[in-house]
Amino acid sequence: MSSRLIGVGVGPGDPELVTVKGVNALRAADVVVVPVMDTGERGRAEATVLHYVPEDKVVRVVFALNERTDRARREAAWDAAGERVAALLRQHGTVAFATIGDPNVYSTFTYLAQTIAGLVPGTAVETVPGITAMQDLAARSGAVLTEGTEPLTLVPVTAGSAVLKEALAGPGTVVAYKFGRQAGEVAEVLKETGRLADAVWGSALGLPEESVRPAAELDGTPLPYLSTLIAPPRRDAGRGGKL
């Protein structure tokens, strides 16, 4: 029996932002895998999935997503998760993996798909795109991501504030992911590059604890890890000025 592994993007947290194709893929799969931390709490992907499929169809698999320093431990967790999903693929025809945002943008699904390619050769790997946090934050804050010929740069601040500073020194809009723990450094970099005034940040988008605020209010207090920042360029040339 040929098997299929489908990475389904379920958006940044608001259940209403899952696409129709994503919902259909979740419901059509034999089982739906959701990633959980080794601490066991329910994550955004699982909470979103449970709006559309029954709990007995959901399989929680530990990926130790909070492991940042011990590479060996992280790799071991990925291997164990891959073995668990491989067993499901050998038992079922279609396994969906739910990931927040999009499965091709900084997603755990990438590592899972690479592992499965070695464990279950011949498995068809597919993805269903999902709405990203930057799209949702732009909609909720009114920030325009791009105009005319402007580039768009996406930076994970886990790569270091120097990477963000380099991006902010260039043209176009800069989006920063996972910056919450380094909020103080990010605020300083925004000031240094003259990008603070129009920048916005958001966390827990679409959830009861949602926060969407001007970046000028950043005071160095750590924010939720999955906070997102949008820093648009100056647009003072009028309508169509960037064409």
Side-chain angles (χ1 to χ4, degrees), residues 153-170:
T153 304
L154 176 59
V155 175
V157 181
T158 48
S161 59
V163 176
L164 175 61
K165 185 174 182 178
E166 181 180 355
L168 288 168

Side-chain angles (χ1 to χ4, degrees), residues 144-159:
V144 176
L145 286 171
T146 56
E147 287 186 4
T149 58
E150 293 173 352
L152 175 65
T153 304
L154 176 59
V155 175
V157 181
T158 48

Side-chain angles (χ1 to χ4, degrees), residues 14 67 135 150 170 188 221:
D14 184 346
E67 181 54 68
Q135 292 170 290
E150 293 173 352
E188 287 302 315
T221 302

Side-chain angles (χ1 to χ4, degrees), residues 208-227:
E209 62 272 28
E210 173 185 298
S211 182
V212 177
R213 309 293 299 173
E217 296 182 8
L218 291 172
D219 60 5
T221 302
L223 303 174
Y225 173 67
L226 290 178
S227 295

Side-chain angles (χ1 to χ4, degrees):
M1 177 179 66
S2 59
S3 54
R4 296 168 66 214
L5 175 64
I6 307 176
V8 181
V10 296
D14 184 346
E16 293 185 348
L17 291 181
V18 184
T19 66
V20 174
K21 186 169 185 176
V23 171
N24 288 341
L26 293 172
R27 289 175 173 169
D30 297 305
V31 295
V32 178
V33 171
V34 294
V36 297
M37 292 186 179
D38 52 3
T39 49
E41 67 263 28
R42 178 172 290 172
R44 292 190 197 180
E46 182 178 5
T48 303
V49 164
L50 291 175
H51 279 79
Y52 297 105
V53 300
E55 191 168 1
D56 60 6
K57 187 176 177 176
V58 176
V59 177
R60 308 176 88 234
V61 176
V62 174
F63 277 81
L65 302 179
N66 59 342
E67 181 54 68
R68 301 287 163 189
T69 57
D70 189 336
R71 176 163 185 164
R73 183 168 175 265
R74 185 173 66 240
E75 295 274 356
W78 288 346
D79 288 343
E83 292 284 359
R84 181 77 177 94
V85 175
L88 292 171
L89 284 165
R90 296 183 186 107
Q91 183 181 357
H92 303 282
T94 302
V95 173
F97 179 89
T99 178
I100 59 171
D102 183 277
N104 293 304
V105 180
Y106 299 130
S107 171
T108 306
F109 180 73
T110 302
Y111 314 130
L112 176 63
Q114 292 173 358
T115 304
I116 291 301
L119 294 176
V120 192
T123 297
V125 177
E126 306 169 18
T127 57
V128 176
I131 292 174
T132 61
M134 65 176 159
Q135 292 170 290
D136 196 13
L137 178 56
R140 294 176 189 276
S141 67
V144 176
L145 286 171
T146 56
E147 287 186 4
T149 58
E150 293 173 352
L152 175 65
T153 304
L154 176 59
V155 175
V157 181
T158 48
S161 59
V163 176
L164 175 61
K165 185 174 182 178
E166 181 180 355
L168 288 168
T173 295
V174 175
V175 175
Y177 275 2
K178 306 176 184 178
F179 84 93
R181 295 173 186 169
Q182 295 161 274
E185 295 176 50
V186 168
E188 287 302 315
V189 170
L190 287 168
K191 291 176 184 176
E192 291 174 20
T193 55
R195 293 287 201 110
L196 184 62
D198 297 321
V200 296
W201 69 270
S203 64
L205 301 174
L207 303 177
E209 62 272 28
E210 173 185 298
S211 182
V212 177
R213 309 293 299 173
E217 296 182 8
L218 291 172
D219 60 5
T221 302
L223 303 174
Y225 173 67
L226 290 178
S227 295
T228 298
L229 174 84
I230 297 177
R234 291 185 60 183
R235 296 180 179 127
D236 49 14
R239 184 176 63 182
K242 294 296 184 75
L243 292 175

